[in-house]
Amino acid sequence: MSLRYQAPRGTQDILPEDQAYWDYVRDTASRICRLFGYERIDTPVFETASLFTRTTGEATDIVQKEMYVFRDRGGQELALRPEGTAPVCRAYLEHGMGSRPQPVRLWYWAPIFRYDRPQAGRYRQHHQLGAEALGDSSPSLDAEVIELLWRFYQELGLSNLTLYLNSIGDGQCRPQYVETLRRYYRDRLAHVCPDCQARFHRSPLRLLDCKQEQCQPVIAEAPSMLEHLCGPCRDHLSEVGRYLEAVDVPYTMQPRLVRGFDYYTRTVFEVHPPEEGAQSALGGGGRYDGLVEMLGGPPTPAVGFGTGVERIIIQLKRQEVPVPAPGRPQVYVAWQGAEARLPAFRLASELRQKGISVLLATGDRSLKAQMRQADARGITYVAILGPRELQEGSITLRRLADGYQETLPASALLQRILSP
Ligand code: HAM
Protein backbone atom coordinates (compact mmCIF):
# COMPACT_ATOMS: atom_id res chain seq x y z
CA MET A 1 0.00 0.00 0.00
CA SER A 2 1.42 3.40 -0.81
CA LEU A 3 0.44 6.00 1.76
CA ARG A 4 -1.05 9.18 0.51
CA TYR A 5 0.32 11.20 3.43
CA GLN A 6 3.55 10.85 5.33
CA ALA A 7 5.20 13.15 7.84
CA PRO A 8 7.14 15.79 5.86
CA ARG A 9 10.75 14.84 5.06
CA GLY A 10 13.02 15.49 8.01
CA THR A 11 10.22 15.46 10.60
CA GLN A 12 9.24 12.65 12.92
CA ASP A 13 6.30 11.42 14.91
CA ILE A 14 7.15 10.72 18.52
CA LEU A 15 5.23 7.52 19.19
CA PRO A 16 3.98 6.46 22.64
CA GLU A 17 6.81 3.91 23.00
CA ASP A 18 9.37 6.70 22.70
CA GLN A 19 7.71 9.08 25.12
CA ALA A 20 9.50 7.60 28.14
CA TYR A 21 12.75 8.98 26.68
CA TRP A 22 11.20 12.38 26.07
CA ASP A 23 9.74 12.54 29.58
CA TYR A 24 13.06 11.51 31.05
CA VAL A 25 15.06 14.14 29.17
CA ARG A 26 12.49 16.88 29.79
CA ASP A 27 12.14 16.09 33.50
CA THR A 28 15.91 16.01 33.95
CA ALA A 29 16.23 19.29 32.05
CA SER A 30 13.72 21.12 34.18
CA ARG A 31 15.24 19.73 37.39
CA ILE A 32 18.79 20.76 36.47
CA CYS A 33 17.77 24.19 35.22
CA ARG A 34 15.90 24.82 38.45
CA LEU A 35 18.93 23.64 40.41
CA PHE A 36 21.01 26.33 38.71
CA GLY A 37 18.35 29.00 39.25
CA TYR A 38 17.23 29.30 35.61
CA GLU A 39 13.62 30.25 34.90
CA ARG A 40 11.58 28.86 32.04
CA ILE A 41 10.64 31.02 29.08
CA ASP A 42 8.58 30.14 26.01
CA THR A 43 8.59 32.22 22.86
CA PRO A 44 6.45 31.83 19.72
CA VAL A 45 7.22 29.18 17.12
CA PHE A 46 7.47 31.91 14.47
CA GLU A 47 8.95 35.39 14.57
CA THR A 48 9.53 38.30 12.20
CA ALA A 49 12.04 36.86 9.72
CA SER A 50 14.49 39.74 10.01
CA LEU A 51 15.03 38.94 13.72
CA PHE A 52 17.09 36.00 12.51
CA THR A 53 18.67 37.49 9.38
CA ARG A 54 19.95 40.39 11.44
CA THR A 55 21.39 38.36 14.31
CA THR A 56 22.36 34.99 12.84
CA GLY A 57 24.16 36.65 9.93
CA GLU A 58 23.12 37.19 6.30
CA ALA A 59 25.95 34.99 5.05
CA THR A 60 25.37 31.98 7.30
CA ASP A 61 23.95 28.69 6.01
CA ILE A 62 21.07 29.01 8.40
CA VAL A 63 19.90 32.26 6.86
CA GLN A 64 20.92 31.52 3.27
CA LYS A 65 19.64 27.97 2.95
CA GLU A 66 17.83 26.73 6.00
CA MET A 67 15.18 29.15 7.15
CA TYR A 68 11.52 28.40 6.65
CA VAL A 69 10.32 31.84 5.60
CA PHE A 70 6.76 32.66 4.62
CA ARG A 71 4.39 35.55 4.27
CA ASP A 72 1.22 35.48 6.30
CA ARG A 73 -2.08 36.70 4.92
CA GLY A 74 -1.32 40.19 6.17
CA GLY A 75 1.85 40.27 4.08
CA GLN A 76 4.25 40.08 7.02
CA GLU A 77 7.44 38.12 6.44
CA LEU A 78 7.80 35.50 9.16
CA ALA A 79 10.18 32.62 9.85
CA LEU A 80 9.77 29.40 11.77
CA ARG A 81 12.30 29.66 14.60
CA PRO A 82 15.65 28.32 13.31
CA GLU A 83 17.29 28.79 16.73
CA GLY A 84 16.34 29.93 20.20
CA THR A 85 18.77 32.67 21.21
CA ALA A 86 17.57 35.64 19.16
CA PRO A 87 13.92 35.14 20.27
CA VAL A 88 15.00 35.11 23.92
CA CYS A 89 16.93 38.35 23.40
CA ARG A 90 13.90 39.85 21.66
CA ALA A 91 11.72 38.88 24.64
CA TYR A 92 14.33 40.21 27.09
CA LEU A 93 14.10 43.61 25.43
CA GLU A 94 10.37 43.56 24.81
CA HIS A 95 9.59 42.86 28.46
CA GLY A 96 12.16 45.25 29.89
CA MET A 97 14.08 42.46 31.59
CA GLY A 98 17.11 44.73 31.59
CA SER A 99 15.64 46.36 34.68
CA ARG A 100 15.52 43.07 36.61
CA PRO A 101 18.49 41.96 38.68
CA GLN A 102 21.21 40.88 36.25
CA PRO A 103 22.04 38.39 34.96
CA VAL A 104 18.61 37.16 33.92
CA ARG A 105 18.84 33.38 33.66
CA LEU A 106 16.36 31.68 31.34
CA TRP A 107 15.83 28.26 29.82
CA TYR A 108 13.58 26.90 27.10
CA TRP A 109 12.46 23.68 25.49
CA ALA A 110 11.37 24.35 21.96
CA PRO A 111 10.90 22.94 18.47
CA ILE A 112 13.42 24.37 16.00
CA PHE A 113 13.09 24.36 12.20
CA ARG A 114 15.90 24.17 9.67
CA TYR A 115 15.71 23.16 6.04
CA ASP A 116 18.69 20.85 6.50
CA ARG A 117 19.60 17.78 4.45
CA PRO A 118 17.96 15.07 6.58
CA GLN A 119 20.14 12.22 7.85
CA ALA A 120 20.67 10.36 11.12
CA GLY A 121 20.55 12.97 13.88
CA ARG A 122 19.78 15.81 11.52
CA TYR A 123 16.19 16.82 10.96
CA ARG A 124 14.10 19.64 9.60
CA GLN A 125 12.22 19.89 12.87
CA HIS A 126 14.20 19.14 16.01
CA HIS A 127 13.88 20.16 19.65
CA GLN A 128 16.32 22.03 21.79
CA LEU A 129 16.86 22.54 25.44
CA GLY A 130 18.51 25.92 25.69
CA ALA A 131 19.74 28.16 28.50
CA GLU A 132 20.63 31.84 28.21
CA ALA A 133 22.10 34.13 30.87
CA LEU A 134 21.82 37.79 29.96
CA GLY A 135 23.30 40.96 31.39
CA ASP A 136 26.68 39.91 32.75
CA SER A 137 30.10 39.48 31.19
CA SER A 138 31.84 37.54 33.98
CA PRO A 139 33.73 34.45 32.90
CA SER A 140 32.10 32.63 35.82
CA LEU A 141 28.80 32.92 33.95
CA ASP A 142 30.30 31.23 30.88
CA ALA A 143 31.55 28.47 33.17
CA GLU A 144 28.15 28.26 34.85
CA VAL A 145 26.22 27.61 31.63
CA ILE A 146 28.86 25.13 30.51
CA GLU A 147 28.66 23.36 33.86
CA LEU A 148 24.86 23.31 33.63
CA LEU A 149 25.07 21.61 30.24
CA TRP A 150 27.69 19.16 31.46
CA ARG A 151 25.75 18.21 34.63
CA PHE A 152 22.63 17.76 32.54
CA TYR A 153 24.37 15.13 30.40
CA GLN A 154 25.85 13.56 33.52
CA GLU A 155 22.47 13.40 35.23
CA LEU A 156 21.01 11.76 32.15
CA GLY A 157 23.66 9.06 32.48
CA LEU A 158 25.60 9.81 29.30
CA SER A 159 29.30 9.05 29.33
CA ASN A 160 32.41 9.47 27.18
CA LEU A 161 31.46 12.93 26.01
CA THR A 162 34.05 15.54 25.09
CA LEU A 163 33.68 19.24 25.78
CA TYR A 164 35.58 21.46 23.34
CA LEU A 165 36.33 25.04 24.28
CA ASN A 166 37.63 27.98 22.28
CA SER A 167 37.52 31.73 22.10
CA ILE A 168 36.85 33.52 18.83
CA GLY A 169 37.81 36.91 20.27
CA ASP A 170 35.86 40.13 20.10
CA GLY A 171 35.54 43.25 17.95
CA GLN A 172 39.06 44.24 19.01
CA CYS A 173 41.04 41.19 18.02
CA ARG A 174 38.92 39.16 15.64
CA PRO A 175 39.11 41.44 12.57
CA GLN A 176 42.89 41.22 12.67
CA TYR A 177 42.78 37.46 13.00
CA VAL A 178 40.34 37.17 10.10
CA GLU A 179 42.73 39.23 8.00
CA THR A 180 45.62 36.95 8.95
CA LEU A 181 43.52 33.91 8.12
CA ARG A 182 42.53 35.37 4.76
CA ARG A 183 46.13 36.13 3.93
CA TYR A 184 47.05 32.55 4.76
CA TYR A 185 44.24 31.11 2.63
CA ARG A 186 44.75 33.46 -0.33
CA ASP A 187 47.81 31.51 -1.51
CA ARG A 188 46.15 28.17 -0.91
CA LEU A 189 42.75 28.71 -2.50
CA ALA A 190 43.59 26.36 -5.36
CA HIS A 191 43.98 23.50 -2.86
CA VAL A 192 40.68 23.84 -0.99
CA CYS A 193 37.17 22.65 -1.83
CA PRO A 194 34.67 24.84 -3.73
CA ASP A 195 32.70 25.47 -0.52
CA CYS A 196 35.81 26.83 1.14
CA GLN A 197 36.49 29.04 -1.84
CA ALA A 198 33.07 30.58 -1.22
CA ARG A 199 33.67 30.74 2.55
CA PHE A 200 36.88 32.64 1.92
CA HIS A 201 34.72 35.55 0.76
CA ARG A 202 31.54 35.07 2.78
CA SER A 203 32.56 33.83 6.24
CA PRO A 204 36.28 33.16 6.56
CA LEU A 205 36.10 31.79 10.13
CA ARG A 206 34.01 28.90 8.82
CA LEU A 207 37.01 27.80 6.74
CA LEU A 208 38.32 26.21 9.93
CA ASP A 209 35.18 24.10 10.23
CA CYS A 210 35.36 22.37 6.83
CA LYS A 211 35.04 18.58 6.97
CA GLN A 212 36.39 17.86 3.45
CA GLU A 213 39.45 15.65 3.29
CA GLN A 214 41.33 17.91 0.89
CA CYS A 215 41.03 20.92 3.22
CA GLN A 216 42.41 19.21 6.33
CA PRO A 217 46.13 19.84 5.64
CA VAL A 218 45.38 23.53 5.02
CA ILE A 219 43.34 23.75 8.24
CA ALA A 220 46.04 21.97 10.23
CA GLU A 221 48.61 24.62 9.34
CA ALA A 222 46.29 27.63 9.61
CA PRO A 223 47.12 30.40 12.10
CA SER A 224 45.40 29.85 15.45
CA MET A 225 42.87 32.29 16.87
CA LEU A 226 44.21 31.60 20.33
CA GLU A 227 47.52 33.21 19.39
CA HIS A 228 45.74 36.31 18.13
CA LEU A 229 43.46 37.03 21.07
CA CYS A 230 43.77 40.48 22.65
CA GLY A 231 44.70 40.67 26.35
CA PRO A 232 41.15 40.96 27.75
CA CYS A 233 39.88 38.07 25.60
CA ARG A 234 42.84 35.91 26.59
CA ASP A 235 42.23 36.65 30.29
CA HIS A 236 38.53 35.96 29.93
CA LEU A 237 39.20 32.59 28.35
CA SER A 238 41.73 31.54 30.95
CA GLU A 239 39.30 32.52 33.72
CA VAL A 240 36.56 30.39 32.14
CA GLY A 241 39.03 27.50 32.15
CA ARG A 242 39.94 28.09 35.79
CA TYR A 243 36.29 28.00 36.87
CA LEU A 244 35.67 24.81 34.92
CA GLU A 245 38.69 23.19 36.50
CA ALA A 246 37.52 24.27 39.95
CA VAL A 247 34.33 22.22 39.52
CA ASP A 248 35.95 19.33 37.66
CA VAL A 249 34.30 19.88 34.31
CA PRO A 250 36.87 18.43 31.90
CA TYR A 251 37.42 20.36 28.69
CA THR A 252 39.68 20.21 25.67
CA MET A 253 40.91 23.39 24.02
CA GLN A 254 39.99 23.31 20.33
CA PRO A 255 41.40 26.38 18.60
CA ARG A 256 39.58 25.55 15.38
CA LEU A 257 36.14 25.43 16.95
CA VAL A 258 33.88 27.99 15.26
CA ARG A 259 30.11 28.04 15.15
CA GLY A 260 27.39 28.64 12.60
CA PHE A 261 26.15 32.01 13.83
CA ASP A 262 27.68 35.46 13.47
CA TYR A 263 26.56 36.63 16.89
CA TYR A 264 29.23 34.88 18.94
CA THR A 265 32.03 36.71 20.73
CA ARG A 266 34.77 35.23 22.90
CA THR A 267 33.78 31.87 24.42
CA VAL A 268 32.44 29.14 22.14
CA PHE A 269 32.00 25.49 23.09
CA GLU A 270 30.56 22.22 21.87
CA VAL A 271 29.98 18.81 23.40
CA HIS A 272 30.54 15.77 21.18
CA PRO A 273 29.60 12.13 21.65
CA PRO A 274 32.29 9.42 21.46
CA GLU A 275 31.73 8.38 17.85
CA GLU A 276 33.12 10.57 15.11
CA GLY A 277 30.97 12.19 12.51
CA ALA A 278 30.33 15.53 10.95
CA GLN A 279 27.45 17.46 12.53
CA SER A 280 27.43 15.18 15.52
CA ALA A 281 27.51 17.83 18.26
CA LEU A 282 25.14 17.05 21.09
CA GLY A 283 25.13 20.64 22.18
CA GLY A 284 26.90 23.92 21.73
CA GLY A 285 26.85 27.56 22.54
CA GLY A 286 28.88 30.52 23.54
CA ARG A 287 28.96 34.17 24.47
CA TYR A 288 27.10 36.71 22.36
CA ASP A 289 27.88 40.09 23.88
CA GLY A 290 26.60 42.09 20.91
CA LEU A 291 23.30 40.38 20.13
CA VAL A 292 20.94 42.45 22.25
CA GLU A 293 22.52 45.59 20.81
CA MET A 294 21.97 44.28 17.27
CA LEU A 295 18.28 44.31 18.15
CA GLY A 296 18.44 47.95 19.20
CA GLY A 297 18.92 47.36 22.93
CA PRO A 298 21.60 48.60 25.31
CA PRO A 299 24.95 46.81 25.58
CA THR A 300 24.03 43.50 27.22
CA PRO A 301 26.66 40.79 27.44
CA ALA A 302 25.21 37.27 27.46
CA VAL A 303 26.07 33.60 27.15
CA GLY A 304 24.12 30.39 26.56
CA PHE A 305 23.82 26.99 24.92
CA GLY A 306 21.43 24.83 22.95
CA THR A 307 21.36 21.05 22.94
CA GLY A 308 19.41 18.80 20.58
CA VAL A 309 16.92 16.48 22.25
CA GLU A 310 16.72 13.98 19.36
CA ARG A 311 20.51 13.60 19.38
CA ILE A 312 20.48 13.11 23.14
CA ILE A 313 17.89 10.35 22.79
CA ILE A 314 19.93 8.65 20.05
CA GLN A 315 22.88 8.74 22.45
CA LEU A 316 20.83 7.41 25.40
CA LYS A 317 19.79 4.45 23.25
CA ARG A 318 23.29 3.89 21.90
CA GLN A 319 24.75 3.91 25.41
CA GLU A 320 21.86 1.73 26.63
CA VAL A 321 20.97 4.10 29.44
CA PRO A 322 17.86 2.78 31.22
CA VAL A 323 15.02 5.28 31.45
CA PRO A 324 12.09 5.10 33.88
CA ALA A 325 9.20 3.07 32.48
CA PRO A 326 6.13 5.10 31.60
CA GLY A 327 3.22 4.87 34.03
CA ARG A 328 0.55 2.35 33.03
CA PRO A 329 -3.12 2.28 33.89
CA GLN A 330 -3.66 0.61 37.28
CA VAL A 331 -6.96 -1.03 36.52
CA TYR A 332 -8.55 -2.56 33.48
CA VAL A 333 -12.34 -2.59 33.66
CA ALA A 334 -13.69 -5.66 31.87
CA TRP A 335 -17.33 -6.53 31.42
CA GLN A 336 -19.50 -9.32 30.18
CA GLY A 337 -23.03 -9.08 28.78
CA ALA A 338 -24.82 -6.05 27.34
CA GLU A 339 -26.30 -5.04 30.72
CA ALA A 340 -22.83 -4.54 32.17
CA ARG A 341 -21.75 -2.09 29.49
CA LEU A 342 -23.13 1.06 31.14
CA PRO A 343 -22.24 0.12 34.76
CA ALA A 344 -18.68 -0.65 33.57
CA PHE A 345 -18.46 2.75 31.96
CA ARG A 346 -19.68 4.31 35.21
CA LEU A 347 -17.24 2.28 37.33
CA ALA A 348 -14.32 3.42 35.17
CA SER A 349 -15.40 7.01 35.58
CA GLU A 350 -15.77 6.68 39.38
CA LEU A 351 -12.32 5.15 39.76
CA ARG A 352 -10.72 7.89 37.66
CA GLN A 353 -12.42 10.52 39.78
CA LYS A 354 -10.71 8.90 42.74
CA GLY A 355 -7.37 9.28 40.96
CA ILE A 356 -6.97 5.72 39.74
CA SER A 357 -5.98 5.37 36.11
CA VAL A 358 -8.26 3.06 34.22
CA LEU A 359 -8.42 1.44 30.83
CA LEU A 360 -11.96 0.41 29.90
CA ALA A 361 -12.73 -2.49 27.58
CA THR A 362 -14.66 -1.43 24.51
CA GLY A 363 -16.44 -3.31 21.76
CA ASP A 364 -17.69 -6.86 22.10
CA ARG A 365 -14.58 -8.79 22.99
CA SER A 366 -14.79 -11.99 24.96
CA LEU A 367 -13.71 -11.80 28.59
CA LYS A 368 -10.64 -13.81 27.63
CA ALA A 369 -9.68 -11.30 24.93
CA GLN A 370 -10.18 -8.48 27.42
CA MET A 371 -7.80 -10.22 29.85
CA ARG A 372 -5.23 -10.58 27.11
CA GLN A 373 -5.49 -6.90 26.31
CA ALA A 374 -5.01 -5.99 29.98
CA ASP A 375 -2.02 -8.30 30.16
CA ALA A 376 -0.46 -6.82 27.03
CA ARG A 377 -0.59 -3.37 28.62
CA GLY A 378 1.02 -4.69 31.81
CA ILE A 379 -1.93 -3.68 33.98
CA THR A 380 -2.01 -4.85 37.60
CA TYR A 381 -5.73 -5.43 38.19
CA VAL A 382 -8.74 -6.33 36.12
CA ALA A 383 -12.10 -5.38 37.63
CA ILE A 384 -14.79 -7.58 36.11
CA LEU A 385 -18.47 -6.75 35.90
CA GLY A 386 -20.68 -9.58 34.67
CA PRO A 387 -24.30 -10.69 35.16
CA ARG A 388 -23.50 -12.22 38.57
CA GLU A 389 -21.70 -9.15 39.86
CA LEU A 390 -24.51 -6.89 38.66
CA GLN A 391 -27.04 -8.95 40.50
CA GLU A 392 -25.01 -9.03 43.73
CA GLY A 393 -23.75 -5.45 43.60
CA SER A 394 -20.24 -6.87 43.66
CA ILE A 395 -17.11 -6.71 41.53
CA THR A 396 -14.59 -9.41 40.77
CA LEU A 397 -11.03 -8.26 41.08
CA ARG A 398 -8.28 -10.26 39.44
CA ARG A 399 -4.58 -9.65 39.99
CA LEU A 400 -2.91 -10.43 36.71
CA ALA A 401 0.55 -11.20 38.03
CA ASP A 402 -0.56 -14.36 39.88
CA GLY A 403 -4.18 -14.81 38.77
CA TYR A 404 -5.47 -14.31 42.35
CA GLN A 405 -9.13 -13.43 42.16
CA GLU A 406 -11.81 -12.41 44.65
CA THR A 407 -15.30 -11.04 44.51
CA LEU A 408 -15.92 -8.01 46.71
CA PRO A 409 -18.78 -5.68 47.45
CA ALA A 410 -18.52 -2.75 45.00
CA SER A 411 -17.97 -0.41 47.96
CA ALA A 412 -14.81 -2.29 49.01
CA LEU A 413 -13.14 -2.16 45.62
CA LEU A 414 -11.37 1.13 46.03
CA GLN A 415 -9.93 0.16 49.39
CA ARG A 416 -8.58 -3.10 47.99
CA ILE A 417 -6.92 -1.43 45.01
CA LEU A 418 -5.33 1.27 47.11
CA SER A 419 -4.08 -1.05 49.85
CA PRO A 420 -3.74 -4.52 48.34
P1 HAM B 1 23.34 24.98 17.31
O1 HAM B 1 24.71 24.44 17.50
O2 HAM B 1 22.96 25.37 15.94
O3 HAM B 1 23.23 26.21 18.30
O4 HAM B 1 22.28 23.95 17.82
C1 HAM B 1 22.36 23.39 19.12
C2 HAM B 1 22.16 21.89 19.06
O5 HAM B 1 20.93 21.59 18.43
C3 HAM B 1 23.19 21.13 18.25
O6 HAM B 1 24.34 20.87 19.02
C4 HAM B 1 22.43 19.84 17.93
O7 HAM B 1 22.45 18.96 19.03
C5 HAM B 1 21.02 20.34 17.77
N1 HAM B 1 20.71 20.50 16.34
C6 HAM B 1 21.02 21.53 15.54
N2 HAM B 1 20.56 21.34 14.30
C7 HAM B 1 19.92 20.15 14.30
C8 HAM B 1 19.21 19.38 13.33
N3 HAM B 1 19.05 19.82 12.09
N4 HAM B 1 18.69 18.20 13.70
C9 HAM B 1 18.83 17.73 14.97
N5 HAM B 1 19.48 18.42 15.93
C10 HAM B 1 20.02 19.61 15.61
C11 HAM B 1 22.15 27.02 18.43
O8 HAM B 1 21.09 26.84 17.90
C12 HAM B 1 22.39 28.20 19.36
N6 HAM B 1 21.13 28.98 19.46
C13 HAM B 1 22.84 27.72 20.71
C14 HAM B 1 23.08 28.83 21.67
C15 HAM B 1 22.29 29.22 22.67
N7 HAM B 1 24.11 29.65 21.65
C16 HAM B 1 23.98 30.53 22.64
N8 HAM B 1 22.87 30.30 23.24
Side-chain angles (χ1 to χ4, degrees), residues 62 82-85 108 112 114 116 121-128 130-132 259 261 263-264 270-271 280-288 303-311:
I62 299 218
E83 66 104 30
T85 309
Y108 51 88
I112 304 281
R114 295 181 188 175
D116 241 331
R122 205 202 284 190
Y123 311 105
R124 290 185 175 167
Q125 174 180 337
H126 72 276
H127 295 75
Q128 276 187 27
E132 316 287 356
R259 306 217 350 106
F261 303 93
Y263 54 60
Y264 288 114
E270 269 179 10
V271 177
S280 68
L282 270 190
R287 186 161 268 291
Y288 48 93
V303 57
F305 70 75
T307 175
V309 180
E310 286 82 355
R311 289 189 190 178

